[in-house]
Amino acid sequence: MADWELLLTDASIATMCAGSVPYGTVENAALAIADGRIAWLGPQSTIPAGKAQVTRSMAGRWLTPALIDCHTHLAFAGNRAAEFEKRLAGASYEDIAREGGGIMSTVRATRAACEDSLLQQTCRRLRALRRDGVATVEIKSGYGLDLETELKLLRVARAASRATGIPVSATFLGAHAIPAEYRGKSNDYIELVCSEMLPAVAENHLADAVDAYCETIAFSSSQVARVFETASSLGLPVKLHADQLSDSGGAELAASFSALSADHLEYTSLAGVRALAGAGTVAVLLPGAFLTLRETRQPPIQSLRDHAVSIAIATDCNPGTSPICSLRTSMSLATSLFRLTPEECLAGVTRNAAAALGLSADRGTLEIGKRADIAVWDIDHPNELSYWMGLNELSGLLVGGKELPN
Ligand code: NIG
Ligand code: FE
C-alpha cells in the first residue's frame, strides 16, 4: 500500500518525457511524492489506493520539471556595462578582448574580490534564476585564471548552493582565456591548468565537469585536447564553448571526447553536427549571447534537428556577452531568434538540459523514480512559458519534494 508524503491533485502535468504526446502531457492528473522522489503520477481517476500525509489541490495549475540552467558564469565580480556601451558604439567583442578588456577586466575584478562578496553576488543571481522556476544551475569558474582564484570560484559555487538550497553543478573553466601574465605563452598556461589546477580541483572535489573555450581569441584545438585528456584521466566529464565566433572544429573536438555538451555552435559545420549526433553530445544554444553580440549567423538548428541532436537552452549569464539572469527570457529569445518551438524550448531547459549536465537519471522529466524537482505554474498551456517575458507565473518550486525557500 502506498505511503506518500505529499499528493498533488487536480493538476495538468507536462512530464516532458520524449514521445508522441506533446509536452508528455497528462491532463486531470495527480502526482505523489515519497522520500523526495516521484512515487506515482497519472490520471487522477486511476490513483492507486493509498494514503498521503498531505494532499494539495493544484486547482488546474500546470506542473513541469523544475527548470535547469545548464550553462552560466554566475560567479564573478564587477560588471562590464561601460564595455557594453563601447560595443554599442561600434567596437567588437574581439577588439575589446585584444585590448585587455573583456574577460580580462572581469578577471581583475574577480581576483580582487573577497570570497564572501563573491558569494553574495553569486547568490543574488541564483535567486533571480529561482524566480523563473530554475532549480538546478551550472556555474563555471573561469574568471580567476590562477590556481587560487579558480579554486575560490569553485568553492563559491558550492557555497552558493548551500546558502540558497538550489542544486548547483560546478564546472572548472580554467582554460577560458589567457591571463595577462601568460600573454604570448599560452602553452605554458595550459601546462599550469593541466599540471596544477586540474589535479587540485579533482582532489578537492570542487568540480563536476571541465569546460574550455576553443576560439581564435582563446585556445586552439590541440590545447583544448590536452586539457580534456587530463580531465578524462581524472575522471571528470568535459564540455566545450565551441564555434561561437568562428568554425574552429569545436563541435568535432567535443564529440571526439564524448563531451556532455558543445555550447554556442553558431559557426558549426555539417560535419560538426554529424559528430555531435554520433557522440550523443547535447547542443546547448545560448540566445542571450547571440543577442548581446548582435550575432547574425544562426546555429545550424535544422541540421541539429535532422540529425536528432538533443538541443538545450541556457542563459550563459555572464557580464560580457550575456548579462541575462532569466532562463524564461532565454526561452523566449530562442523562439524569436532561432525559431525553436515552445516545446523545444521547454525540453531545452528540462530534459535536454539535464542531459547536458549528465543528470538525466535523476532530473529533467517528471517520471516515477526521479527526484521530485517540480515547478508549478499559473498558466493555461505550457507554450506560455516561451511566450511571456517578465510575467511571473510561477506559483511553487519543489526540490526533492520540498518547497525551495525564496
Ligand atoms: O560564454 N565565450 C566565452 N565565454 C563567455 C563570455 C565571457 C565573457 O565575455 O566574460 C561566453 O560567451
Ligand atoms: Fe559561456
Side-chain angles (χ1 to χ4, degrees):
M1 178 165 174
D3 189 7
W4 300 321
E5 288 145 28
L6 180 61
L7 176 65
L8 306 176
T9 59
D10 308 304
S12 296
I13 302 182
T15 65
M16 297 314 290
C17 294
S20 55
V21 181
Y23 297 90
T25 297
V26 186
E27 299 275 7
N28 302 314
L31 182 150
I33 297 169
D35 296 326
R37 297 196 168 261
I38 299 172
W40 184 85
L41 75 80
Q44 192 148 317
S45 55
T46 65
I47 296 183
K51 62 177 190 309
Q53 287 158 26
V54 179
T55 299
R56 271 173 35 200
S57 168
M58 296 288 100
R61 293 187 184 87
W62 279 82
L63 310 183
T64 69
L67 308 191
I68 297 172
D69 192 350
C70 67
H71 180 142
T72 86
H73 306 250
L74 286 193
F76 62 85
N79 72 68
R80 306 222 297 270
E83 192 182 283
F84 178 61
E85 288 194 280
K86 274 194 197 165
R87 281 199 278 117
L88 290 172
S92 76
Y93 182 66
E94 289 99 323
D95 293 341
I96 289 171
R98 283 199 192 91
E99 284 162 11
I103 293 174
M104 292 321 299
S105 71
T106 302
V107 169
R108 287 189 290 275
T110 303
R111 285 180 178 177
C114 72
E115 198 154 332
D116 192 53
S117 137
L118 278 170
L119 176 61
Q120 298 317 320
Q121 294 175 66
T122 304
C123 286
R124 181 177 169 201
R125 298 176 195 125
L126 267 181
R127 291 194 178 100
L129 289 173
R130 182 228 179 276
R131 286 195 284 277
D132 270 357
V134 175
T136 292
V137 178
E138 187 251 18
I139 299 181
K140 302 175 196 294
S141 68
Y143 289 121
L145 309 184
D146 61 27
L147 177 64
E148 188 195 338
T149 319
E150 284 295 306
L151 296 181
K152 177 168 81 173
L153 288 171
L154 293 170
R155 283 195 303 270
V156 163
R158 297 281 196 229
S161 178
R162 288 191 294 273
T164 59
I166 299 171
V168 166
S169 286
T171 299
F172 172 64
L173 177 55
H176 191 196
I178 301 151
E181 57 276 21
Y182 280 87
R183 187 172 275 194
K185 296 184 293 185
S186 59
N187 281 333
D188 292 353
Y189 180 64
I190 290 295
E191 186 53 36
L192 177 75
V193 167
C194 293
S195 62
E196 286 187 35
M197 293 189 190
L198 266 167
V201 166
E203 193 188 334
N204 293 291
H205 304 287
L206 282 173
D208 305 299
V210 172
D211 194 352
Y213 187 21
C214 187
E215 192 56 68
T216 46
I217 57 168
F219 299 99
S220 68
S221 299
S222 60
Q223 290 172 325
V224 171
R226 166 110 170 80
V227 173
F228 281 4
E229 277 155 16
T230 310
S232 304
S233 73
L234 293 165
L236 286 164
V238 300
K239 56 179 80 177
L240 187 65
H241 281 72
D243 309 325
Q244 180 188 13
L245 306 171
S246 61
D247 179 8
S248 30
E252 292 90 326
L253 176 64
S256 72
F257 281 88
S258 301
L260 288 171
S261 69
D263 303 36
H264 287 288
L265 305 178
E266 278 83 345
Y267 289 83
T268 295
S269 67
L270 180 58
V273 172
R274 288 203 177 111
L276 295 178
T281 295
V282 177
V284 179
L285 305 184
L286 305 167
F290 178 94
L291 175 78
T292 307
L293 291 176
R294 304 173 69 85
E295 179 58 68
T296 51
R297 165 92 169 221
Q298 296 257 335
I301 310 273
Q302 193 52 46
S303 178
L304 292 168
R305 287 182 182 123
D306 293 344
H307 291 82
V309 176
S310 297
I311 298 175
I313 310 288
T315 60
D316 193 17
C317 179
N318 77 72
T321 62
S322 192
I324 295 181
C325 263
S326 165
L327 190 57
R328 290 283 308 284
T329 302
S330 302
M331 293 165 71
S332 180
L333 292 177
T335 57
S336 302
L337 298 174
F338 297 160
R339 294 188 179 228
L340 290 193
T341 68
E343 188 178 359
E344 286 174 323
C345 288
L346 191 55
V349 297
T350 55
R351 185 177 71 239
N352 295 342
L357 296 178
L359 294 174
S360 296
D362 212 34
R363 285 171 239 181
T365 55
L366 298 181
E367 282 179 83
I368 292 173
K370 285 207 179 177
R371 204 169 76 176
D373 287 13
I374 301 169
V376 184
W377 306 96
D378 252 317
I379 50 174
D380 295 325
H381 191 276
N383 60 11
E384 287 175 61
L385 298 176
S386 304
Y387 166 69
W388 298 109
M389 281 200 258
L391 182 69
N392 195 344
E393 313 90 328
L394 186 72
S395 91
L397 186 58
L398 307 181
V399 170
K402 303 260 181 308
E403 186 70 30
L404 189 63
N406 257 311

